[in-house]
């Protein structure tokens, strides 16, 4: 079928949301392989005075979105499509562009609708769609913007419709109060949204405000139990907070997991925040959420600790400390790259809003742009060593992996660069560089690759990361073998196969390899469990990576981690990936290779992330599927979490200057 | 002319009449009317255009479905996917009887009753053809009444 592209009066990048006639002019992209429905939807949307672009293939839709990230306000997609599962598209869009996505289907079975929720769809329409249902879709755009603005501003004043301009963070320092504030704010927003969503099946309960203290208690409880064993009931018991219900904890846990996952991919950004607290898992986490990036950048503190803690938190490991640095470093790397990262955001620092999407990768605002990069740079330096380590240790749970990965990624990159120089990188199959997992699998794969790579490198971690990290620049990719990650090619990890050999290594490496491994492990685990989901997730990330192809040296892992998680979970669903590990690799490769170019958009975020991560990955082999499942123990939830996190993420817009990530804002991430 | 108009009205009514059965089996339901409401001066033939898209698309699907049904082993997933699409399309244009026939075929497939499914498929094909013929006639009449 041919796509009919009714851009017609395609509005320019400038937000159409804030126009006077809003919601008229809302730019909608509708994707459905059924021509009858597509035609009807188009007509209905036009009748609502929206600007409609229709697509009958998901791939094409993704391309459109990537080419013009700011060209659309909202996406409506069918669930069942021949070339790509609607949920995969959802994830990609969430990760890469952070646009609100509405799913629709003639299938109204509860589990499918739930899938939409967990993957991050902001709404689910049952076909046949009535025009009344379409008249109100603008609310999703507004809501998302509001949340994003809140995150950015931290001031809580969000205008209607929000202007897209990301507001510079007003909190240059990472003081806990600032972090808390923003974090809390974000969490509140997310909590609200999440709660709304959660409420579908449960009774309405008074909303719980997850204050920083409460969250810290939560994280402490999770760490104590171990991320794998952290079940809401036990967490609740440990926390011993009167009035807190199991459901509260459950939903918070879900978000948290996603957040962790995201972190691993985005570790770079987080690095900042991590850095500050060394404390136990929670410390960094909270910071991560909020200002992570900033912290990371600014402090340059040992991210390791924060990372470690984060990781630990995520992973449930207590040892996180050592490993933590990864994320931080990664972030730096990511940022330091300047290019890769900027790529995402097209170098537009401003693009917070758009960047956010991209940054989905893990909350690493791609838009961070130069400034952030600089920050990261610094932080990365110190973190460099640390992060890597963190990741390594991280092998623990899948979540931690994700975190690790994320974190590690930036580091890995650095490391990889350093180390890879030694030729380690080569391990990373070029596929890693291929961020382009078009199918999403690729994404996963990429990450894997990336991850694996890092793992292999073992040596990297500590590296000179600072230096390497900084240099991470995607250009480094050379180290990573050009894995031509077929990412885009096949949805499953199959694409990754090219890396084949690599993958195996990756997994094993990750585990054993140094510090990286920890992050790597996450990936591995993730991969193992959900090869597919990884891809999905990664894909999103990796795609960008591919774009950066040159910019991201293997390190781009950062994103992969995030992606991986997502992909992981998603892939699980699709059950496609068998090569989970590859994904991580892929991620890396993506970051590095960016070769693929498929992921152009994704690449941005990912690239940055990947870059860092990929570095890591390279050095450490990312254990492929063989990796201990620990990482993924959570994978099933990760996917959900990821989406949740991602969703929350939208608030995480990367501030130009600081990397404020709201770990929890997962809005972007479609899982 | 008055006759023609009457014919148009009568024919139109026949689409929405509920056949005295349970469940009510009108040929077209409210979704069709919603489609008509979307029409305006800008595209006066919107509904006609959409239904013709539906018919051509559904004949393609029918062919694929039939082919799949005759394969061995039967790819149920693929069958269900195509039937699912038919269901979505028919529901979107308000083709109620067609939709019901699709559902019946789907159920037969889900149960693995290929023989029953083939029979249901034939009924489905018949419903689609019948609706196509009726709508074509209807639109011809309408064109005559209101060129």
């Amino acid at each position: 079928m041919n796509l009919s592209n009714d851009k017609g009066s395609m509005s320019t990048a400038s937000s159409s949301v804030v126009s006077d006639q809003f919601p008229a002019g809302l730019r909608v992209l509708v994707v459905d392989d059924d021509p009858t429905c597509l035609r009807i939807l188009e007509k209905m949307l036009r009748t609502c005075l929206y600007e409609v672009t229709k697509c009958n293939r998901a791939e094409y839709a993704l391309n459109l979105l990537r080419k013009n990230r700011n060209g659309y306000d909202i996406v409506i997609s069918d669930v069942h499509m021949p070339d790509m599962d609607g949920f995969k598209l959802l994830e990609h869009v969430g990760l890469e562009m952070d646009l609100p996505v509405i799913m629709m289907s003639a299938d109204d079975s509860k589990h499918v609708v739930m899938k939409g929720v967990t993957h991050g769809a902001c709404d689910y329409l049952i076909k046949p769609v009535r025009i009344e249902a379409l008249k109100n879709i603008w609310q999703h755009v507004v809501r998302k913007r509001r949340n994003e603005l809140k995150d950015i501003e931290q001031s809580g004043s969000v205008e209607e419709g929000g202007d897209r301009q990301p507001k510079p963070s007003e909190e240059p320092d990472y003081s806990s109060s600032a972090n808390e504030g923003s974090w809390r704010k974000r969490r509140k927003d997310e909590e609200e949204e999440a709660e709304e969503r959660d409420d579908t099946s449960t009774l309405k309960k008074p909303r719980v405000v997850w204050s920083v203290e409460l969250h810290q208690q939560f994280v402490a409880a999770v760490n104590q139990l171990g991320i794998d064993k952290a079940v809401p009931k036990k967490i609740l018991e440990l926390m011993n907070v009167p009035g807190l219900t199991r459901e509260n904890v459950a939903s918070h846990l879900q978000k948290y997991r996603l957040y962790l996952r995201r972190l691993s991919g985005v570790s770079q950004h987080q690095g900042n925040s991590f850095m500050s607290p060394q404390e136990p898992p929670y410390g960094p986490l909270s910071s991560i959420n909020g200002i992570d990036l900033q912290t990371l950048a600014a402090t340059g503190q040992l991210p390791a600790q924060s990372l470690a803690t984060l990781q630990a938190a995520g992973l449930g490991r207590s040892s996180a400390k050592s490993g933590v640095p990864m994320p931080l470093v990664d972030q730096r790397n990511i940022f330091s790259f300047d290019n890769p990262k900027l790529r995402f955001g097209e170098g537009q620092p401003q693009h917070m809003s758009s960047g956010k999407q991209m940054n989905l990768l893990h909350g690493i605002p791609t838009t961070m742009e130069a400034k952030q990069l600089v920050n990261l740079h610094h932080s990365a330096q110190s973190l460099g060593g640390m992060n890597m380590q963190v990741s390594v240790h991280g092998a623990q749970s899948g979540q931690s992996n994700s975190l690790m990965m994320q974190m590690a990624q930036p580091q890995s990159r650095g490391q990889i660069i350093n180390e890879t120089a030694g030729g380690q990188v080569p391990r990373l199959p070029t596929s890693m560089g291929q961020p382009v997992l078009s199918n999403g699998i690729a994404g996963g794969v990429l990450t894997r690759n990336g991850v694996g790579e890092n793992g292999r490198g073992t040596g990297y971690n500590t590296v000179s990361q600072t230096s390497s990290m900084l240099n991470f620049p995607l250009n480094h990719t050379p180290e990573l073998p050009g894995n031509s990650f077929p990412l885009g090619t096949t949805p499953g990890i199959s694409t990754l196969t090219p890396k084949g050999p690599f993958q195996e290594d990756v997994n094993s490496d990750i585990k054993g390899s140094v510090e990286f491994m920890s992050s790597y492990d996450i990936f591995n685990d993730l991969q193992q469990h959900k090869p597919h989901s990884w891809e999905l997730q990664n894909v999103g990330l990796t795609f960008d990576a591919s774009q950066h192809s040159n910019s991201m040296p293997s390190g781009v892992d950062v994103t992969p981690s995030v992606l991986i998680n997502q992909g992981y979970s998603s892939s699980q669903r699709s059950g496609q990936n068998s090569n989970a590990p590859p994904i991580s690799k892929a991620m890396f490769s993506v970051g590095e290779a960016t070769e693929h170019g498929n992921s152009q958009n994704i690449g941005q975020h990912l690239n940055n992330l990947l870059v860092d991560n990929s570095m890591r990955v390279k050095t450490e082999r990312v254990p492929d599927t063989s990796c201990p499942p620990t990482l993924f123990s959570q994978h099933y939830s990760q996917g959900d979490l990821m989406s949740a996190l991602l969703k929350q993420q939208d608030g995480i817009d990367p501030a130009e200057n600081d990397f404020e990530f709201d770990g929890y804002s997962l809005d972007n991430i479609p899982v | 002319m008055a006759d023609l108009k009457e014919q148009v009205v009568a024919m139109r009514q026949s689409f929405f009449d509920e056949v005295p059965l349970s469940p009510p089996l009108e040929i077209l339901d409210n979704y069709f009317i919603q489609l008509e409401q979307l029409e305006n001066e800008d595209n006066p033939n919107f509904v006609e255009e959409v239904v013709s898209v539906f018919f051509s698309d559904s004949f393609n699907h029918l062919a694929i479905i039939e082919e799949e049904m005759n394969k061995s082993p039967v790819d149920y997933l693929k069958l269900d996917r195509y039937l699912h699409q038919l269901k979505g399309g028919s529901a979107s244009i308000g083709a109620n009887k067609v939709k019901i026939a699709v559902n019946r075929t789907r159920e037969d497939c889900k149960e693995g009753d290929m023989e029953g499914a083939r029979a249901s498929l034939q009924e489905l094909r018949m419903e689609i053809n019948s609706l196509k013929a009726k709508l074509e006639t209807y639109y011809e009449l309408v064109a005559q009444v209101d060129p």
Side-chain angles (χ1 to χ4, degrees), chain A residues 1 32-37 39-40 43-44 47 80 82 105-107 127-132, chain B residues 30-31 34-35 38-40 43 46 49-50 53-54 57 81 84-85 87-89 91-93:
Chain A
M1 298 209 235
D32 192 339
D33 64 323
D34 181 351
T36 309
C37 296
R39 185 76 187 87
I40 295 176
K43 184 74 171 104
M44 285 184 182
T47 304
H80 303 286
S105 177
D107 191 351
K127 284 184 182 175
V129 178
R130 298 191 67 91
I131 193 171
E132 289 78 18
Chain B
N30 282 333
Y31 281 100
Q34 185 187 214
L35 276 193
L38 287 176
E39 246 177 19
N40 54 20
N43 29 9
F46 170 68
E49 180 197 328
V50 171
V53 166
F54 169 73
D57 192 48
R81 257 203 348 253
H84 178 86
Q85 252 209 7
K87 174 186 168 187
S92 298
I93 65 167

Side-chain angles (χ1 to χ4, degrees), chain B residues 79-136:
Chain B
L79 265 186
D80 194 62
R81 257 203 348 253
Y82 282 98
L83 284 169
H84 178 86
Q85 252 209 7
L86 266 183
K87 174 186 168 187
S90 58
S92 298
I93 65 167
N96 186 52
K97 275 184 101 179
V98 171
K99 181 185 72 181
I100 290 173
V102 171
N103 284 339
R104 202 172 294 130
T105 312
R106 263 183 112 196
E107 273 162 30
D108 288 341
C109 285
K110 280 187 184 153
E111 288 166 14
D113 174 12
M114 287 323 294
E115 221 178 277
R118 283 191 201 98
S120 298
L121 186 70
Q122 292 319 312
E123 276 181 31
L124 169 60
R125 189 187 285 275
M126 224 175 55
E127 287 293 344
I128 294 179
N129 280 326
S130 156
L131 180 63
K132 180 164 189 263
K134 287 188 174 143
L135 282 176
E136 276 172 1

Side-chain angles (χ1 to χ4, degrees), chain A residues 220-414:
Chain A
V222 167
N223 288 336
Q224 196 176 325
L225 291 169
I227 196 69
D228 294 348
K229 298 210 174 62
V231 289
K233 186 150 184 270
K234 293 201 181 140
I235 297 174
L236 186 64
E237 281 166 16
L238 276 178
M239 284 177 74
N240 195 21
V241 170
L244 196 65
T245 69
R246 194 204 142 279
E247 288 88 10
N248 295 142
V249 174
S251 76
H252 192 71
L253 179 64
Q254 201 185 44
K255 292 183 199 152
Y256 181 63
R257 287 207 176 113
L258 282 172
Y259 168 70
L260 290 182
R261 211 182 306 163
R262 214 151 38 81
L263 282 181
S264 49
V266 185
S267 51
Q268 302 176 3
H269 301 292
Q270 308 289 346
N272 290 329
S273 46
F274 285 132
M275 306 276 280
S276 21
Q278 300 216 319
E279 280 354 295
Y282 214 56
L285 282 177
S286 43
S287 53
I288 295 181
N289 289 329
I291 316 222
D292 298 336
L293 291 181
Q294 297 178 9
T295 324
L296 188 52
T299 58
Q301 305 159 16
L302 282 191
Q305 308 216 326
S306 36
L307 286 177
T309 42
L310 273 174
Q311 308 236 334
L315 299 178
R317 289 184 305 164
S318 41
S319 58
K321 295 251 193 133
S322 47
V324 175
M326 286 209 330
L328 292 178
V329 177
D330 290 340
Q331 294 193 349
R332 290 202 296 205
N333 285 338
I334 301 182
F335 292 108
S336 51
F337 292 148
D338 286 335
N339 24 12
K341 305 240 198 94
L342 293 183
R343 272 299 195 117
F344 291 121
E346 308 298 354
Q348 334 148 352
Q350 303 286 338
H351 237 32
M352 292 293 283
S353 47
S354 50
K356 261 194 5 177
Q357 300 174 354
M358 306 230 287
N359 290 326
L360 277 190
L361 284 189
H362 307 298
I364 297 191
T366 47
T367 57
M368 302 245 318
E369 268 61 67
K371 294 186 204 176
Q372 298 173 337
L373 285 178
V374 173
N375 288 334
L376 284 179
H377 210 68
H378 297 305
S379 49
Q381 310 215 343
S382 49
L383 290 178
M386 309 216 313
N387 288 339
M388 301 287 270
Q389 308 185 350
V390 173
S391 39
V392 174
H393 301 300
Q396 313 103 19
S397 44
Q399 293 194 347
S400 48
N401 283 339
S402 49
L403 281 182
M404 300 283 287
M405 289 302 295
Q406 295 181 347
M407 307 226 277
Q409 297 193 343
Q411 294 239 338
S412 47
R413 287 299 266 255

